[in-house]
Structures are given as C-alpha cells and as structure tokens.
C-alpha cells in the first residue's frame, strides 16, 4: 500500500451507534461516533492489556470505553479516564493508541493512512461531476486479490470483448485503438476507450486518438489511491472504491449512480435494482483476477504488456512514484 494517502475504507452507513471493528490495510481499526455523529478512528487494541476496543461501547462523553477494565479513549487515541485509579487521577501521556484522521462525504468514509498527518492536510478528492442530485445503490463485494490488481482490472480495456462478451463487452470489438489518456492532475487520470471490430486497419496509438472522445461521453476516471468511476453518460455512472483489507484481500465498494429518474422512492429503487447486473459483470472479472500471480502488481515485473495496456502502465508508474516519494522522505515503509 502507498502510505500517507486518504483511503476510502467504509461507507457512512456502516458506522451507526455501536463501535465498529474492521481490518483495513492489514491493521485492526475501530470506528465510532459521538453523540453528535462525529466520527473517530483509532487502532483497535487497548493500550492496557490488548483487547479489542470495538467490543466496548460509546459512553455519554462520546469517548470509547474498553470493555475489559473501562479505560476511556478520546478521538485522538488518548486515554482520558482509568476508573481503577479513581476520579480525577491524571492519565500519563503514554496511555494512548494511534488515531487516524477521518473524512466523511458522499456517503464514504476516508482515513489518512500512514504517519502523522501534516498540519495543512487537505481533504481527499472526489469526482467533481457527481453531484447531490445523483442517487446510488451500493454493494460490497469481497475479492481475494491485492487491491492493485482489482484497480488494474477496472482500467483494462483489452479484456472487454473476452471477459464480458455477453454483458458490457458485446459486439466483438477486439481491436484496441488508443486508449486515450488524460491526466487531470498528479493523482487523477481519465481513460478514453476506442475499441472497435477488427476491420483489418492498423489501430491508432494512444497519441493518435482525440481527447476527449468526440463521439461519446464514455470514459473511465481514476483518483489515487483507490477510487474509480465509469462515466457511462452524464446521468449514469458506476463508481468503485477498492478497499484493501490486507495484502491479499480487497473489498470492492461498487455503486451505481443515476439521475435520470428524480422521483425519490423510484430513483433509489432503480439504483439498487441495477446492482445485480453490475455485480454479475464484476464477477466475470473476479474469477480471473483472483488467479493473477504475483498477487500485487508492480511497475517492473515479469509481464509482457501491449499498447492497449497503457492505462495500467500509467497507474503503475504513478503508484511507483508515490511509493518511492514516501520511502525517500522516510515517511513510512514501502510494503507493496
Ligand atoms: S484491556 Fe482495556 S482497559 Fe484493560
Ligand atoms: Fe471487467
């Protein structure tokens, strides 16, 4: 994983009144809300004798109470109260666990994962073209794969007529022109797809295709480290967040967004109705992606790529840069 990034790790509706314990990026974390609904995230391991804090409860002060001996934690991970020592007894500084900055928007929860966040930490980015009038349905789909492989699969335009020959890849468009790549900023890029039937012509290169595509609004969008959008039309989108649980497991948070139906009940219903089809498409991919070896991808690895793999190369290149930048500055170890 790339350290020092905002990662989407949950959707908002997964954290209600009770504390929630999850594994993300290989670490056990606990999330809870105080009485005002404000969200906190700290390591899910009591500093006293190591039990999971997520088995505890939120007390009236909004602090998280360990179920074993009642230590109470605030949002910064500091113990505020040790009941056995008596009211008002000072709590030494060392009674603390690591806390993670959180951000909640668009029904997603992000954490800043890595070393301590900088003072001027900016909020994570989301797609500027998804506004409040969109309604979405969501499924959470487990994949036994490293999250980099799941991401690359969603940037892979070459697989469409093979893996999805009876769903989104109908039409036998096996010839891959482009694909066109457009970097929006350092951490976001778009992919324009120009697949067509093989008519015997030489496919145009990524440099030769127009950007954006003048014939259709369709494009793929990716924001580092783990957010993707299939921009099907102005009114219909599929969004994926690739949530790493550990180095070999990923949760795909898959959403179908629409705004062509505006009647509140009907629109939510239609968004949810679209999920079985979207999952069917995802499962066509999943049965293959889980077999990829080695599990994580890398910029330099034993694979023979082709021109149509350009989006995957762009992803790998930037990912490598971010990994190296973090290791050079000494801000966290490069794992994978
Ligand atoms: S283990 Fe948490 S208070 Fe003792
Ligand atoms: Fe696919």
């Amino acid at each position: 994983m790339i350290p020092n990034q905002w990662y989407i790790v949950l959707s908002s509706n997964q954290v209600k009144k009770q504390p929630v314990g999850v594994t993300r990026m290989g670490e056990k974390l606990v999330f809870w809300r105080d009485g005002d609904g404000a969200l906190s995230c700290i390591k899910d391991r009591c500093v006293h004798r190591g039990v999971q804090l997520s088995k505890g409860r939120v007390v009236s002060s909004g602090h998280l109470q360990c179920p074993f001996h009642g230590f109470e934690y605030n949002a910064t991970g500091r113990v505020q109260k040790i009941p056995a020592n008596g009211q008002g007894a000072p709590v030494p500084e060392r009674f603390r666990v690591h806390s993670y900055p959180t951000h909640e928007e668009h029904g997603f929860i992000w954490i800043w994962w890595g070393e301590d966040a900088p003072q001027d930490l900016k909020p994570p980015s989301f797609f500027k073209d998804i506004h409040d009038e969109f309604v979405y349905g969501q499924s959470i789909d487990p994949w036994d794969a490293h999250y980099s492989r799941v991401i690359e699969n969603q940037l892979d335009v070459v697989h469409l007529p093979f893996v999805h020959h009876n769903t989104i890849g109908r039409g036998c468009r096996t010839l891959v022109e482009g694909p066109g790549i457009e970097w929006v900023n350092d951490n976001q890029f778009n992919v324009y797809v120009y697949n067509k039937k093989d008519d015997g012509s030489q496919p145009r290169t990524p440099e030769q295709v127009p950007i954006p595509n003048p014939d259709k609004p369709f494009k793929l969008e990716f924001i580092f480290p783990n957010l993707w959008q299939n921009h099907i039309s102005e009114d219909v989108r599929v969004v994926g967040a690739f949530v790493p649980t550990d180095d070999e497991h990923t949760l795909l948070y898959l959403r179908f967004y629409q705004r062509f139906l505006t009647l509140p009940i009907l629109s939510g219903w239609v968004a949810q109705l679209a999920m079985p089809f979207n999952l069917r498409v995802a499962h066509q991919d999943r049965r293959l992606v889980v077999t990829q070896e080695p599990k994580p991808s890398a910029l330099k690895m034993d694979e023979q790529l082709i021109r149509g793999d350009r989006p995957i190369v762009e992803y790998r290149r930037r990912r490598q840069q971010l990994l190296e930048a973090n290791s050079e500055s000494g801000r966290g170890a490069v794992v994978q």
Side-chain angles (χ1 to χ4, degrees):
M1 331 276 164
I2 310 166
N4 303 312
Q5 306 276 312
W6 280 114
Y7 281 83
I8 289 179
V9 289
L10 286 165
S11 57
S12 290
N13 60 5
Q14 290 183 282
V15 187
K16 301 193 172 87
K17 290 235 157 75
Q18 301 301 322
V20 174
V22 292
T23 301
R24 295 291 185 265
M25 283 73 87
E27 295 180 6
K28 287 203 172 83
L29 309 173
V30 55
F31 291 79
W32 82 95
R33 293 186 190 279
D34 66 16
D36 297 328
L39 188 72
S40 300
C41 172
I42 63 177
K43 264 211 194 327
D44 194 9
R45 184 173 183 276
C46 185
V47 73
H48 179 217
R49 289 186 43 224
V51 302
Q52 274 184 269
L53 295 167
S54 54
K55 304 281 189 234
R57 65 188 184 105
V58 182
V59 291
S60 56
S61 56
H63 295 159
L64 178 62
Q65 185 189 55
C66 179
F68 212 175
H69 314 96
F71 287 23
E72 292 178 17
Y73 291 79
N74 71 8
T76 69
R78 275 208 63 181
V79 176
Q80 300 294 294
K81 187 173 170 189
I82 299 176
N85 287 354
Q87 278 182 37
V91 178
E93 165 76 25
R94 67 176 188 281
F95 284 76
R96 67 182 312 150
V97 296
H98 189 73
S99 69
Y100 298 80
T102 60
H103 182 86
E104 194 167 14
E105 214 177 348
H106 310 289
F108 277 126
I109 292 170
W110 282 257
I111 61 166
W112 174 260
W113 184 77
E115 303 299 300
D116 288 340
Q119 289 293 332
D120 59 343
L121 183 63
K122 297 194 180 50
S125 348
F126 196 71
F127 302 109
K128 294 197 170 40
D129 54 3
I130 294 184
H131 312 286
D132 289 347
E133 71 267 25
F134 278 91
V135 177
Y136 63 84
Q138 175 179 285
S139 290
I140 302 173
D141 198 40
W143 292 43
D144 293 341
H146 188 266
Y147 81 109
S148 60
R149 294 292 198 177
V150 190
I151 288 170
E152 289 180 0
N153 173 68
Q154 302 298 342
L155 298 170
D156 179 343
V157 303
V158 184
H159 81 296
L160 292 167
F162 298 97
V163 178
H164 305 300
H165 62 92
N166 57 356
T167 54
I168 56 168
R170 279 199 200 94
C172 211
R173 288 188 284 275
T174 54
L175 195 70
V176 176
E177 296 212 280
I181 307 287
E182 174 185 48
W183 280 90
V184 178
N185 58 50
D186 284 351
N187 290 319
Q188 181 171 358
F189 68 97
N190 298 331
V191 178
Y192 296 91
V193 185
Y194 290 87
N195 294 7
K196 65 176 192 180
K197 279 196 174 153
D198 190 350
D199 54 7
S201 64
Q202 268 300 105
R204 289 174 294 172
T205 66
E207 289 71 28
Q208 288 169 331
V209 292
I211 285 172
N213 189 332
D215 301 324
K216 41 185 175 187
F218 178 82
K219 63 181 167 183
L220 304 173
E221 302 179 43
F222 183 72
I223 299 176
F224 276 85
N226 69 338
L227 183 60
W228 168 92
Q229 174 181 190
N230 181 348
H231 185 121
I232 296 170
S233 73
E234 285 311 307
D235 297 333
V236 179
R237 318 291 174 79
V238 176
V239 167
F242 311 89
V243 176
T245 46
D246 57 33
D247 280 337
E248 300 197 348
H249 301 91
T250 301
L251 293 170
L252 172 60
Y253 282 61
L254 193 63
R255 289 182 177 183
F256 177 82
Y257 282 79
Q258 67 87 15
R259 62 172 181 187
F260 55 84
L261 272 174
T262 47
L263 218 62
I265 294 176
L266 214 58
S267 57
W269 186 62
V270 165
Q272 203 55 50
L273 268 186
M275 288 319 298
F277 175 75
N278 287 301
L279 277 177
R280 184 174 159 223
V281 172
H283 291 169
Q284 290 181 318
D285 293 311
R286 189 174 67 173
R287 67 179 272 272
L288 301 174
V289 172
V290 298
T291 70
Q292 283 183 290
E293 293 284 351
K295 284 282 185 190
S297 80
L299 183 60
K300 291 203 175 81
M301 65 190 302
D302 187 16
E303 289 185 350
Q304 304 299 328
L305 302 186
I306 59 175
R307 194 165 58 200
D309 293 323
R310 181 69 165 271
I312 291 166
V313 174
E314 297 285 324
Y315 168 71
R316 288 182 183 178
R317 224 183 252 145
R318 181 60 184 149
R319 182 161 178 264
Q320 181 68 23
Q321 273 177 3
L322 289 169
L323 285 167
E324 280 170 9
N326 278 297
S327 83
E328 271 160 23
S329 66
R331 289 187 298 146
V334 174
V335 185
Q336 270 158 345

